[in-house]
Amino acid sequence: RGYTDITTMSYTLDQNNIASMRCTHDSPLFSLFGNANPQRDTSSRPSSFISKYISNAILLSTSSSRNKRQNVNNSKNNSDAVGHGSKVHSRISGYLDTLDYEATRGYREFQRALTFQASTLRNPNTLIDGERHPNTTFQWGMIWRDLLPRRDPLSPYHCLCSAQITSQTGSTLKHAIQIGHSSNGSRLNDPYSPTKGIDYSYNTEVAMPPGDIGFAKAECGLSLHTPLPYYLKDWSIHLSGKCGAMQPFSFRRGSNMKGSRGDLHGLVPYIADRFYAGGPMSLRGFQPDGIGPRADPVTSPMRADSPRIETSNNEKATAVLLSAPSDALGGDIYYTGAIAASAPVPSMNLSILSNLRFMTFLNAGTVSGLCLPVDVILKGTRVSAGVGLYTSTPYGRFEMTYALPLRHGPKDVRKKLQFGVSMSFF
C-alpha cells in the first residue's frame, strides 16, 4: 500500500494479431515531492500546520501519534521516514492499444495515451488487514485516438460500416480529468457473491482543451442486498441500478455547434465517448451494445449474397437487409436496473459447488438521447426476465444466465443464453 516504486512493461498480442504495449510506474505519492520536501522529510525539520495536515491526512497513512513518534525516533538518520506508507498512491502510465468494437459498433479505436492517476489503493482487490477498503481516484489523461472503420474483407477499399461511423473517422485528441469513488465491496459480506450489504460507485469526467473533444459525463451505480427472514433465510433479495448522462459542448465562441472535424464537438458527441448497454452484468437477454440507437444495416457490394433492393418483394428485401451488420451508435443517457432473488444450490458435499447460487431476475434499461422527453425515454425501456447460476471465484464473479426479452426494439440484438465475468455485482 505505498511503500516501494514498481515499474512494469508489457507487450501483448491477442488472437486477432492486435498488439498492445504498456509502460507503468507505480509509486507512493509522497515520493514525487523529493527528499527536501517537508511532506517527505518528516524527521529533519518542523512543519507548518498546512504541511502537517497534508502529511498526516493525505500523504502518510493513518496511524497513532505514538506510532509515528516511534517511527521517527527509530529513523533519525533516515530522512525518508514515511511511517506506515502512503495513503495516496500515484501511477504514471503510457500505452499503445487497439480497442476492437467491430462486431458491435463497426470500428476499431487505436489509442496512444499518457495518464497520471492518484488513488487511495494501488490495487482495488488488495486486502489490507484482511479487509477490502473504499477507493477514491483522480486521473488526468491525454489520449490521441484514431477511429478505424470496419473494412470489407472482400473489398478492402470499401467500409463495411454505417455512414454515422465513417463520418467520425480520423484522429481526435482527448484531454480529460476524471474523479471517482467506489465502496469497492467493503460493505458487502462477499464482494463477488454478496447476500448482505450495500455497494456504490460514482465517476465524473470532463473533457476540455487542449483536446478537440468537449463534454461532461457523470455515472453512478448502487446495489443493495438483504437476506430474507425466517424459513427463507437462505434466500436473498438483490436490487441494483446504474445510470449515466453526458453533455457535449464547445469552447469556441460563435461555433455553429455542428461538430465539424478540427473543432470541439457541439451537439454531436464523439462515437467512442457515448454510453452503451447490453450483455451479461448489464442488461441480460441482449448482446453487448445490443440496445439503443442503431444505424441502418450495411452490406457489401462485392458479396454474392448481398441484398438486391430492386426486387419486387419488399418484405424479402427487408429481411435480407436486417441480416446484414448493424452498428450501435450509443446514447447520451442510459440506465439499467435489476431485481433478483438468489438461493444456494445444494453442494452435495462437493467443494466446487460450495459458492454456487441459483437466481431469478428481472432486468430493465435503455440507452437514449439526453434531450428527449422523459416519457419518450421511459417508453423505450427494454425488459427481460430469466434464471441463472453464479458463483464467486478469486478472479471475480462468474455467471451463466438464460433470459427472455419481454420488451425490445425492432433493431435490438438479443441473446438468451449468456456467460459473463465481472469484478462487481453491477
Side-chain angles (χ1 to χ4, degrees):
R1 193 185 176 180
Y3 286 95
T4 60
D5 292 12
I6 301 175
T7 301
T8 60
M9 298 183 67
S10 64
Y11 174 85
T12 59
L13 190 67
D14 66 9
Q15 67 273 16
N16 294 323
N17 291 327
I18 298 178
S20 63
M21 294 183 292
R22 184 179 295 268
C23 180
T24 302
H25 180 74
D26 298 294
S27 63
L29 184 61
F30 67 80
S31 64
L32 301 181
F33 289 85
N35 294 334
N37 191 281
Q39 279 83 9
R40 182 175 175 89
D41 188 358
T42 59
S43 61
S44 60
R45 60 173 66 88
S47 301
S48 64
F49 173 79
I50 297 178
S51 298
K52 288 182 178 180
Y53 177 82
I54 295 176
S55 299
N56 297 331
I58 300 178
L59 297 178
L60 302 181
S61 65
T62 302
S63 60
S64 65
S65 58
R66 177 181 300 177
N67 291 336
K68 288 184 179 180
R69 287 195 298 268
Q70 290 176 355
N71 291 331
V72 171
N73 293 332
N74 295 331
S75 307
K76 289 183 178 179
N77 297 325
N78 182 11
S79 63
D80 295 337
V82 295
H84 289 272
S86 175
K87 289 178 64 177
V88 182
H89 165 80
S90 66
R91 170 173 294 177
I92 301 174
S93 62
Y95 62 86
L96 301 175
D97 198 3
T98 300
L99 305 180
D100 190 355
Y101 299 117
E102 286 191 349
T104 58
R105 308 182 195 176
Y107 67 87
R108 293 183 182 182
E109 187 181 43
F110 179 54
Q111 297 184 344
R112 290 139 291 187
L114 176 64
T115 64
F116 169 79
Q117 177 178 288
S119 60
T120 54
L121 296 176
R122 188 178 75 87
N123 184 357
N125 297 321
T126 300
L127 298 181
I128 302 175
D129 298 329
E131 298 180 353
R132 296 174 70 95
H133 289 260
N135 187 30
T136 302
T137 60
F138 168 85
Q139 179 172 300
W140 167 90
M142 186 79 76
I143 307 177
W144 182 14
R145 308 180 293 185
D146 285 330
L147 192 145
L148 310 174
R150 179 175 53 208
R151 298 288 181 175
D152 188 345
L154 300 181
S155 178
Y157 297 101
H158 179 258
C159 294
L160 193 60
C161 61
S162 62
Q164 292 90 333
I165 301 299
T166 56
S167 65
Q168 296 202 16
T169 57
S171 298
T172 57
L173 181 64
K174 176 183 174 182
H175 172 251
I177 293 176
Q178 296 186 48
I179 299 176
H181 177 79
S182 171
S183 61
N184 196 35
S186 60
R187 298 175 178 266
L188 301 175
N189 60 341
D190 188 316
Y192 304 136
S193 181
T195 58
K196 183 180 180 180
I198 181 174
D199 195 24
Y200 59 88
S201 67
Y202 65 84
N203 185 71
T204 58
E205 181 181 8
V206 178
M208 64 192 78
D212 56 6
I213 299 292
F215 66 83
K217 179 190 292 188
E219 192 172 8
C220 62
L222 175 68
S223 66
L224 303 172
H225 314 269
T226 181
L228 294 179
Y230 306 114
Y231 58 90
L232 293 177
K233 61 181 181 179
D234 291 335
W235 284 79
S236 295
I237 298 296
H238 313 273
L239 298 173
S240 65
K242 201 170 184 180
C243 63
M246 70 174 297
Q247 176 61 59
F249 48 77
S250 175
F251 292 95
R252 183 175 180 180
R253 291 185 178 180
S255 173
N256 56 11
M257 302 295 285
K258 292 183 179 180
S260 60
R261 308 306 303 165
D263 185 15
L264 285 169
H265 286 202
L267 299 179
V268 182
Y270 187 60
I271 189 75
D273 296 321
R274 298 172 184 170
F275 292 113
Y276 298 85
M281 315 294 180
S282 175
L283 191 60
R284 301 172 183 92
F286 298 87
Q287 285 274 32
D289 305 341
I291 68 170
R294 305 189 74 86
D296 294 331
V298 294
T299 55
S300 169
M302 301 295 294
R303 295 181 182 272
D305 58 347
S306 59
R308 302 293 186 262
I309 308 301
E310 62 273 9
T311 180
S312 58
N313 190 339
N314 293 331
E315 294 182 357
K316 182 178 179 181
T318 303
V320 176
L321 273 174
L322 291 179
S323 65
S326 179
D327 301 329
L329 301 178
D332 303 331
I333 186 174
Y334 87 100
Y335 68 87
T336 59
I339 179 172
S342 68
V345 175
S347 61
M348 296 176 293
N349 297 325
L350 296 177
S351 59
I352 193 174
L353 299 179
S354 60
N355 295 326
L356 189 64
R357 295 182 68 88
F358 166 82
M359 71 171 176
T360 178
F361 58 86
L362 178 69
N363 284 166
T366 191
V367 177
S368 184
L370 183 62
C371 298
L372 295 177
V374 176
D375 59 335
V376 175
I377 296 177
L378 295 178
K379 288 181 180 179
T381 299
R382 280 74 166 173
V383 180
S384 65
V387 296
L389 297 172
Y390 69 92
T391 185
S392 174
T393 71
Y395 306 102
R397 167 191 169 92
F398 175 80
E399 73 173 29
M400 177 182 67
T401 60
Y402 183 86
L404 180 65
L406 304 179
R407 189 180 184 188
H408 56 85
K411 294 184 178 181
D412 292 344
V413 184
R414 292 161 281 165
K415 188 175 183 181
K416 298 180 179 179
L417 182 63
Q418 292 179 321
F419 300 86
V421 178
S422 175
M423 301 304 291
S424 68
F425 191 86
F426 293 131

